[in-house]
Amino acid sequence: MWNVTAFICILIGASIPVGLLDASLATGLVGAAAALGLLASLITIRPGELGFLKTVAGPAVATALVPTLWIVLQMLPLPSLAHPVWKFAGETLGAPLSGSITIDTGASLGALLLWLTLLSVMIGAAAVAIDRKRADMVARTIAATALAAALILLLSSDPLKAWLGAAAPGAKADGFLVIVLAGIPLALARALYGGERADGGSSTRLRWLLAASTAVCIASACWYGHRGAAIAVAAGIALVLMTFAARRLHLHRWSSAGAAAAIALIALATAVANRHADVALAVAFADAPADVVQSSHNLLADLPALGSGAGTTATLASTYMDWQGPTARPVVATSAAASIAQFGPAMFWTGLVVTIAGIAAFTAGARNRGRDWSYAAAAAAALLTLLLAAFTLPELPALPGVIVLGAVIGTGLAQRISRSRLQAG
């Protein structure tokens, strides 16, 4: 199983060069690699670990299959549910077209591959992270990858970009922000955990390295992502610190719930104070120019109830927004607005509720866990960070963030419940 662990770690580290490749090529390569990692992990896993994996990851996988089925449904030829654009196209061509919910089947197929890649990495990481030594190896790889992504973001920030000129990574660096946002909670949680080695000995050096990496990642995310990223990062950090304090001080669960409610109220008050008036909730808290917010609001207002298909944001945005340059990428004000445009309001808000339930489950697991609480706490904080970022930041490239996010969630699933406790119960 250590060979599979090494493969998963290499895949996580490869998210950095993958983010610099052409998106269509990178999606295929990452999807194939993730599928191989999943297959290898399921072949080499021991029977006892396989049973435990089914218990801890089964409900999450079953839930994650719902968006998969929805994307497939969007690509099927369903004239009665088809997007209105297909009717207009048929009238223009003078021939009836058997349309679908999605306006771009190829883009939706790419989005489906990305989602399956996320699931494959999540299950593969969960399989190898059942053992705490292997989980520690995966966590260190994630922290190192997040640090590398943070350095790329710093090189891509406006002041340094102006100084470096053509040497700066450029617009492709946007995708690395997701890596940093997902990696910050894990690096912080492992630093608070004490940097213990796999053999149980304390490592002060590792603890300080993780703390320094966390500081660099926080500074990079806030500098590159500005206020939108800072709010999301602060919430994730607060959740990790709250979990750590609750365990250290042996606080009652109601005390922890009260602290979480206080954090939520502070975040809500901050968001309300900075919201855009008279626009849809999905774009009300965007850290974006007013014209982009209004264009995104208009896009959502004209949206069919079933959405316009996964992966079709760029096509939709180009018809609503003024964007310049032959290689410029049209941007929707927030990731939340982009998701609603693709999947429809009902699917998005349902997914939001499920994500909140996942955050609560991971937080409870970290609160009740023994020495390996940091993985579940990191998964909860990463989900919270990205959830808030979806309402404040524009849609970011899915690659290379899906690899790191899948690994963070996978390790959290594997370590949310103790094997000995599960067997005893």
Side-chain angles (χ1 to χ4, degrees):
M1 198 66 175
W2 279 103
N3 291 334
V4 179
T5 304
F7 182 84
I8 295 294
C9 290
I10 292 173
L11 180 60
I12 295 171
S15 59
I16 298 298
V18 160
L20 300 174
L21 297 177
D22 177 73
S24 58
L25 174 62
T27 301
L29 292 176
V30 171
L36 288 176
L38 174 61
L39 180 62
S41 64
L42 296 180
I43 290 176
T44 58
I45 192 171
R46 291 177 292 185
E49 291 184 345
L50 180 59
F52 179 77
L53 178 64
K54 292 178 180 179
T55 301
V56 297
V61 173
T63 303
L65 287 178
V66 175
T68 305
L69 297 176
W70 179 242
I71 296 175
V72 172
L73 181 65
Q74 287 184 321
M75 294 189 294
L76 295 178
L78 300 171
S80 59
L81 301 177
H83 192 283
V85 72
W86 293 105
K87 179 181 178 181
F88 299 148
E91 293 175 351
T92 301
L93 297 175
L97 297 177
S98 180
S100 57
I101 295 174
T102 179
I103 62 174
D104 189 338
T105 304
S108 296
L109 184 60
L112 176 62
L113 180 56
L114 280 176
W115 184 253
L116 293 177
T117 298
L118 174 65
L119 292 183
S120 298
V121 175
M122 182 186 75
I123 299 172
V128 302
I130 291 175
D131 179 86
R132 66 186 303 266
K133 295 181 180 180
R134 300 195 299 257
D136 180 66
M137 183 176 177
V138 173
R140 296 187 190 194
T141 305
I142 294 173
T145 304
L147 177 60
L151 294 176
I152 293 176
L153 291 185
L154 287 175
L155 293 175
S156 304
S157 59
D158 292 336
L160 289 180
K161 188 188 296 183
W163 180 55
L164 295 174
K172 287 188 176 181
D174 288 349
F176 296 116
L177 182 57
V178 179
I179 293 180
V180 177
L181 294 177
I184 287 174
L186 182 59
L188 175 61
R190 295 301 290 169
L192 293 174
Y193 172 76
E196 294 184 2
R197 295 187 182 275
D199 58 3
S202 177
S203 173
T204 303
R205 181 181 178 183
L206 178 59
R207 180 170 64 250
W208 284 107
L209 285 174
L210 287 170
S213 173
T214 303
V216 172
C217 289
I218 292 173
S220 175
C222 295
W223 193 4
Y224 189 86
H226 306 295
R227 177 176 60 86
I231 294 174
V233 168
I237 292 174
L239 183 57
V240 172
L241 293 177
M242 183 200 72
T243 304
F244 174 73
R247 292 174 50 83
R248 199 67 178 268
L249 301 176
H250 304 287
L251 298 179
H252 192 273
R253 293 181 181 178
W254 287 110
S255 300
S256 301
I263 294 173
L265 289 175
I266 293 173
L268 180 61
T270 303
V272 170
N274 293 279
R275 74 184 303 268
H276 297 271
D278 302 324
V279 294
L281 182 63
V283 296
F285 311 111
D287 184 17
D291 58 335
V292 176
V293 173
Q294 187 60 47
S295 297
S296 300
H297 172 74
N298 295 338
L299 186 154
L300 295 178
D302 297 339
L303 184 71
L306 299 179
S308 298
T312 61
T313 303
T315 303
L316 291 171
S318 62
T319 63
Y320 282 85
M321 301 168 191
D322 295 329
W323 50 291
Q324 299 176 352
T327 60
R329 180 176 181 269
V331 177
V332 179
T334 64
S335 296
S339 298
I340 292 176
Q342 295 178 50
F343 297 99
M347 180 61 68
F348 171 78
W349 294 112
T350 301
L352 179 69
V353 173
V354 172
T355 302
I356 294 175
I359 294 171
F362 278 122
T363 303
R367 180 68 177 81
N368 300 325
R369 192 70 165 88
R371 57 185 177 180
D372 294 320
W373 63 273
S374 57
Y375 301 105
L383 288 176
L384 177 61
T385 300
L386 293 175
L387 177 63
L388 294 180
F391 286 89
T392 58
L393 294 175
E395 184 188 19
L396 301 172
L399 278 175
V402 293
I403 305 174
V404 173
L405 178 60
V408 171
I409 297 175
T411 53
L413 286 172
Q415 293 292 331
R416 186 176 66 88
I417 302 175
S418 171
R419 291 181 65 188
S420 58
R421 179 184 174 186
L422 185 63
Q423 293 170 355

